[in-house]
Amino acid sequence: MGQRQSKQPNTAAAGHARATTPTTTREDEQQGSGLEAERRRTTRRAAEGAMDTFFLSHGSPTLSIDETIPARGFFKSWLPAAVAGVEPPRAILVVSGHWETAAPTVSVIRGNNDTIHDFYGFPKAMYKLKYPAPGAPDLAMKTKELLEQTGFGPVKEDHRRGLDHGAWVPLMLMYPEANVPVCQLSLQSGRDGAYHYELGRALAPLRDDGVLVLGSGSATHNLRRMGPDGTPVPQWAAEFDGWLQEALLGGRHDDVKRYEERAPHGRVAHPSPDHFLPLHVALGAAGEEAKAELIHHSWTNATLSYASYRFTTAKD
């Protein structure tokens, strides 16, 4: 948004003494105020330490408009409740279940992110929604650097892709002003949970730089077995969801990495791993001794769990 400059004084008429005195314009004052505010935010973020990481179950795209979905209130409370800290993050890195590539890829967007409506057969109002958050090209390049330094390269760059609904639907509720820069990192669904956990570990330094690392998927995700709201949660969904909570809160990271073999109904809860692998990235980014906390739990469509977790690095 443009800023008006105040008129410059006539230094010739003011004389030599005044001409050597720096002149402060309204733009200078506004910029100075902005810089000071950012310094205060940076100081507070530093005092809070490294940022926590999160796995968010984003559920159905209708979360964007449906006020009856219980998880919607949780996402809207994100800023007021300071879930990720008192100050907004410097930038956000999202690993979504809706972006899969053969090799790790970062979105390098200069300017504002486009909004991808990557869903079909939903109300028309949803296709009009926009979330024009700024891109985070510096974060993208730092992410690429960290991954290549730890053997995950070569990392590709995508200079055109916008935000998929696994990113923008929760973010539009969490940060509704769309003023926090956002970058996405792709999944490799042909690789397992252990791979994505290690990929997340490579990203841990970002948390010291005010970057919020979000994994966005679903605790359970079998679209063929969804049912009407209000019907009982079937045994397979409840048992997998409960196992996941116990494994995470109990620090059984190896079990979570190998959920297909160790969890009850693992392949039923996730016929495809794409919506579960973001959890491994977020967990890995918090470190080996990370502590998990269940921060939201609800269901829709009988089988779709919105269980969401915070991962906090263990203090020395």
Side-chain angles (χ1 to χ4, degrees):
M1 197 160 53
Q3 296 173 327
R4 292 185 301 163
Q5 290 188 351
S6 59
K7 293 182 179 180
Q8 298 291 334
N10 186 337
T11 54
H16 178 72
R18 288 189 60 189
T20 58
T21 302
T23 302
T24 302
T25 66
R26 170 183 260 182
E27 184 176 20
D28 291 334
E29 292 173 352
Q30 290 175 332
Q31 289 177 345
S33 176
L35 290 172
E36 181 59 31
E38 179 57 30
R39 279 194 290 268
R40 288 196 297 268
R41 285 192 291 269
T42 300
T43 299
R44 281 195 286 265
R45 280 196 296 259
E48 293 175 355
M51 298 200 71
D52 295 337
T53 67
F54 295 84
F55 172 70
L56 305 175
S57 289
H58 64 252
S60 169
T62 53
L63 177 68
S64 60
I65 62 169
D66 189 348
E67 296 283 353
T68 69
I69 293 178
R72 186 176 166 93
F74 159 68
F75 286 111
K76 292 182 73 173
S77 74
W78 188 271
L79 268 180
V83 176
V86 176
E87 294 297 330
R90 183 183 68 80
I92 301 171
L93 177 65
V94 181
V95 181
S96 161
H98 294 279
W99 192 19
E100 304 172 58
T101 58
T105 306
V106 289
S107 61
V108 186
I109 303 301
R110 303 183 189 281
N112 294 85
N113 280 289
D114 290 332
T115 305
I116 305 175
H117 299 91
D118 50 341
F119 41 76
Y120 308 94
F122 288 89
K124 291 182 180 180
M126 292 172 58
Y127 298 92
K128 297 179 181 179
L129 295 173
K130 303 290 183 185
Y131 190 75
D138 58 335
L139 172 57
M141 301 314 293
K142 182 62 177 178
T143 299
K144 176 178 179 176
E145 176 187 343
L146 290 171
L147 291 177
E148 291 186 336
Q149 286 176 347
T150 48
F152 286 94
V155 175
K156 296 185 178 181
E157 302 175 18
D158 190 319
H159 293 262
R160 300 183 62 182
R161 189 180 190 277
L163 301 177
D164 61 57
H165 81 266
W168 68 262
V169 168
L171 288 178
M172 70 176 289
L173 303 175
M174 297 159 63
Y175 298 99
E177 293 186 10
N179 57 0
V180 180
V182 182
C183 166
Q184 284 198 236
L185 169 65
S186 68
L187 293 170
Q188 289 70 66
S189 59
R191 307 299 294 267
D192 63 8
Y195 166 91
H196 286 86
Y197 179 89
E198 293 301 320
L199 185 146
R201 288 187 63 189
L203 303 176
L206 296 176
R207 298 165 35 248
D208 293 314
D209 195 27
V211 174
L212 177 60
V213 178
L214 296 178
S216 179
S218 285
T220 57
H221 193 255
N222 189 330
L223 302 184
R224 293 181 179 274
R225 297 206 177 191
M226 290 195 306
D229 285 334
T231 56
V233 177
Q235 182 177 357
W236 65 264
E239 289 185 358
F240 179 86
D241 188 70
W243 174 89
L244 177 61
Q245 181 177 339
E246 290 178 5
L248 287 174
L249 271 58
R252 291 165 23 218
H253 296 181
D254 283 342
D255 285 351
V256 177
K257 295 176 197 176
R258 295 164 176 79
Y259 73 96
E260 291 178 317
E261 295 80 29
R262 299 185 181 181
H265 318 291
R267 295 180 187 273
V268 180
H270 291 280
S272 173
D274 49 88
H275 273 60
F276 201 52
L277 294 176
L279 181 148
H280 295 87
V281 178
L283 180 61
E288 289 189 24
E289 302 300 322
K291 301 298 182 183
E293 175 191 357
L294 179 68
I295 55 175
H296 176 75
H297 191 258
S298 61
W299 295 86
T300 64
N301 305 98
T303 66
L304 203 55
S305 170
Y306 284 77
S308 297
Y309 294 88
R310 176 203 313 271
F311 303 119
T312 303
T313 301
K315 301 295 189 293
D316 294 331

